[in-house]
Amino acid sequence: MAFSLDTVIYMDNNATTRIAPEVLDAMMPYLSDYYGNPSSMHTFGGQVGEAVTQARQSVADLLGADPGEIVFTSCGTESDSTAIFSALRTYPEKNHVVTTRVEHPAVKNLCDNLETLTGRKYHISRLPVAEDGTLDIERYKECLTDETAIVSVMWANNETGVLFPVEEMAKIAKERGILFHTDAVQAVGKIPINLKDSTIDMLSLSGHKLHAPKGIGVLYVRKGTPFVPFLNGGHQEKGRRGGTENVASIIGLGKACELAAAMMDEENTRVRALRDKLEKGLLSSVPKAILNGHPEKRLPNTANISFEYVEGEAILLMMNQHNICASSGSACTSGSLEPSHVLRAMGVPFTAAHGSIRFSLSVYNTEEEVDFILEKMPPIIARLRELSPFWEED
Amino acid sequence: MWEYTDKVQEHFTNPKNVGEIKNASGTGNVGSIACGDALRLTIQVDENDIITDAKFKTFGCASAIASSSMLTEMLKGMKLEDAKNLTNDDIAQALGGLPKEKMHCSVMGREALEAAIADYTGVMLPMAQGEVVCECFGVTDLEIIRAIKENSLASVEEITNFTKAGGGCGKCEGRLAALLVESTDKQSSPATAQKKKKRMTALEKIKKIEEVIEREIKPTLKKDDGDIQLIDVDGDFVTVSLRGTCAGCYSSQTTLKEYVEKKLREQVLDTLIVEEDK
């Protein structure tokens, strides 16, 4: 079954997003006519370098940063690895890392495997979360030691959309002289960010989460932050990341950041209203449906709802029959036979964790789509519950 | 996304024989909600030992639902004797195959059938008597050995695909590899496998950690006016809090790693990681 753009109802924007048509238009010349190398001495290459400079400015503007603080990478994962390894190499005498139990695998698996990757033993503090997915700041403060090399805490959770108070946490780290990194892959473009007002040292973002193409990321490195490159090589990115620039994607990301800045209000008003309508509608029309995550401290686009006593993959496949795209934290979709580590860290019971569905919206979603989902979901859940040995009609 | 055959899609979209037979001759309940899939199979057997009806209720993914539906279709009209010989592969074949990661769904169907037959005949299931190897999903060595032999499994990954064993925390992987060697070696039998040293359960592990802390670690720390308390054990991660002079001591990290962790590794499990709860 092939889905076309016209018929699909795409509510999986935390997984990846559609490339904005304006972004694609901006990129195209750099995939055809303007193929020069930005590092070249001739004008043919140099004009490409100017376009990259412009894109860097656009990214910096969205973040409230200085263009010199923007390092282009290949993806969010590379940015995360670069940040954490940079801190560990900067402070070889320190052996402690603070993170959370609900990080994206890009940070979580890196921290879990630090000993194998570095040949050194690290002490990792993984901050627990409350039932609503929020962090306890007091516990965080107590966790910091003189041995702490870096704190890496996500800005917004990819599964629940729950926001962490990273600006406040960065401030506390700063007072202790500890580097602070945030994986802001889900936050950038969805909530206003102004790094000038914060003390966050490093921040990761990923292009394809905000309507730019896949394969482009950014690591923001605050001016004056000690930095050791992850990829060594040419003098690109002022020696902070070797490798010829992914020019077209950089141009695309620049455009995407301009669009995100222009649509920030819409994201936080219209998209939020759509999300709220979808969420309230599902919670009221489907019995035993539970919202996962704090109702307010959340991204405007994400709704994570558990339908008790049914399994997520089965729900997704039934939704798929109506061309509705979303994702699930169930074991069968995680590929690991165990349900999402985020929901487990929140203490979501197994009866609900396996039946969790994440809807993540974008500015391209419409009210008609929300209405369509609200019409289709209750019978899907009811049908699967008829099949479930655990479901007893009250 | 999984690649499901048309048959799987069909049995998922329009499952047959959904429900429960009232006053069934035999009922088989396998799996659990924690595992992510579960199946309740009810069968009706007549005086000639023929299965006249079969119904199912399944919590699980598309392939679990399709396997259950297909199983009930196959069972209806089948002689009990023949049903006893039905394998997970028969179910998977009837569906035109399952993705390899989903073979455990067909295994669940077969196990439910065995449980239902055992319920009807009153003969206890041999598989349940084995020793639990995978704690996460409660899979016994006998179940694993049978899956290896019947399906000619050749790797730990395949064992996980068929039985789910090893698909949780992954700590039983070593044991699974050993079972693989034992089962493929004709000389050995399940009986010899059972003689092997029993694996520690999570409960035993916690008890042992507590014991070592109380018996050895606490007294040593107390000599320096320190104290220690066990807060939590999560897999290999042991969270403790240091009290007394240990708490503010600049060398508490050293104490934790060089002494506490070393002791626990020596005496309980060599993969333990001790962390401080502050």
Side-chain angles (χ1 to χ4, degrees), chain A residues 174-250:
Chain A
K174 189 65 147 193
E175 286 161 9
R176 302 283 306 260
I178 299 166
L179 286 180
F180 190 94
H181 164 252
T182 181
D183 177 343
V185 160
Q186 294 294 347
V188 174
K190 293 176 190 149
I191 54 167
I193 289 175
N194 189 355
L195 290 168
K196 286 220 163 59
D197 294 343
S198 90
T199 58
I200 291 167
D201 295 301
M202 290 183 276
L203 172 147
S204 303
L205 74 87
S206 171
H208 75 104
K209 308 288 191 193
L210 64 147
H211 306 288
K214 294 157 188 69
I216 182 74
V218 164
L219 179 64
Y220 157 89
V221 184
R222 181 174 296 277
K223 204 174 161 203
T225 304
F227 185 81
V228 182
F230 185 60
L231 284 188
N232 286 278
H235 59 270
Q236 295 90 352
E237 305 300 297
K238 294 187 186 151
R240 291 170 298 181
R241 201 271 189 184
T244 299
E245 297 87 343
N246 181 357
V247 171
S249 293
I250 289 172

Side-chain angles (χ1 to χ4, degrees), chain A residues 52-92:
Chain A
V52 169
T53 302
Q54 183 52 48
R56 198 183 300 279
Q57 183 68 53
S58 301
V59 175
D61 289 347
L62 180 67
L63 300 177
D66 196 77
E69 297 172 321
I70 303 300
V71 179
F72 290 111
T73 65
S74 67
C75 57
T77 300
E78 185 194 323
S79 300
D80 290 338
S81 278
T82 304
I84 292 171
F85 281 127
S86 170
L88 299 184
R89 284 168 191 153
T90 301
Y91 301 113

Side-chain angles (χ1 to χ4, degrees), chain A residues 121-375:
Chain A
K121 273 188 77 81
Y122 282 97
H123 176 52
I124 317 283
S125 295
R126 297 169 183 84
L127 294 168
V129 293
E131 276 183 12
D132 60 7
T134 55
L135 280 178
D136 178 357
I137 284 283
E138 289 310 312
R139 184 138 185 186
Y140 163 66
K141 284 181 192 163
E142 290 163 10
C143 212
L144 301 175
T145 74
D146 294 342
E147 300 300 315
T148 312
I150 187 168
V151 176
S152 181
V153 171
M154 68 200 326
W155 198 314
N157 186 273
N158 49 311
E159 294 190 26
T160 60
V162 169
L163 298 167
F164 288 154
V166 286
E167 286 159 310
E168 189 188 344
M169 295 172 84
K171 213 173 189 179
I172 296 164
K174 189 65 147 193
E175 286 161 9
R176 302 283 306 260
I178 299 166
L179 286 180
F180 190 94
H181 164 252
T182 181
D183 177 343
V185 160
Q186 294 294 347
V188 174
K190 293 176 190 149
I191 54 167
I193 289 175
N194 189 355
L195 290 168
K196 286 220 163 59
D197 294 343
S198 90
T199 58
I200 291 167
D201 295 301
M202 290 183 276
L203 172 147
S204 303
L205 74 87
S206 171
H208 75 104
K209 308 288 191 193
L210 64 147
H211 306 288
K214 294 157 188 69
I216 182 74
V218 164
L219 179 64
Y220 157 89
V221 184
R222 181 174 296 277
K223 204 174 161 203
T225 304
F227 185 81
V228 182
F230 185 60
L231 284 188
N232 286 278
H235 59 270
Q236 295 90 352
E237 305 300 297
K238 294 187 186 151
R240 291 170 298 181
R241 201 271 189 184
T244 299
E245 297 87 343
N246 181 357
V247 171
S249 293
I250 289 172
I251 308 296
L253 179 58
K255 188 72 197 172
C257 286
E258 287 170 27
L259 293 173
M263 287 192 279
M264 190 61 75
D265 281 344
E266 186 183 344
E267 178 85 29
N268 286 279
T269 52
R270 189 181 70 84
V271 175
R272 181 188 292 273
L274 285 182
R275 189 274 312 265
D276 289 347
K277 180 177 182 185
L278 176 68
E279 191 170 283
K280 285 199 185 89
L282 289 174
L283 292 174
S284 62
S285 65
V286 181
K288 301 259 181 185
I290 306 161
L291 175 68
N292 293 316
H294 194 280
E296 276 93 42
K297 295 176 185 167
R298 228 170 6 137
L299 290 173
N301 81 317
T302 310
N304 189 313
I305 298 173
S306 278
F307 302 99
E308 282 194 283
Y309 306 108
V310 285
E311 197 278 327
E313 188 208 287
I315 303 172
L316 287 182
L317 282 179
M318 288 211 161
M319 290 166 68
N320 192 51
Q321 292 172 354
H322 299 292
N323 291 6
I324 305 168
C325 306
S327 52
S328 167
S330 87
C332 284
T333 54
S334 73
S336 74
L337 292 179
E338 287 200 335
S340 135
H341 69 283
V342 176
L343 299 182
R344 279 186 293 150
M346 289 161 64
V348 174
F350 279 112
T351 51
H354 285 291
S356 70
I357 299 293
R358 177 190 71 188
F359 298 90
S360 46
L361 287 71
S362 81
V363 289
Y364 293 108
N365 287 120
T366 64
E367 185 149 15
E368 289 72 41
E369 291 176 325
V370 168
D371 290 338
F372 183 78
I373 295 178
L374 286 176
E375 176 196 325

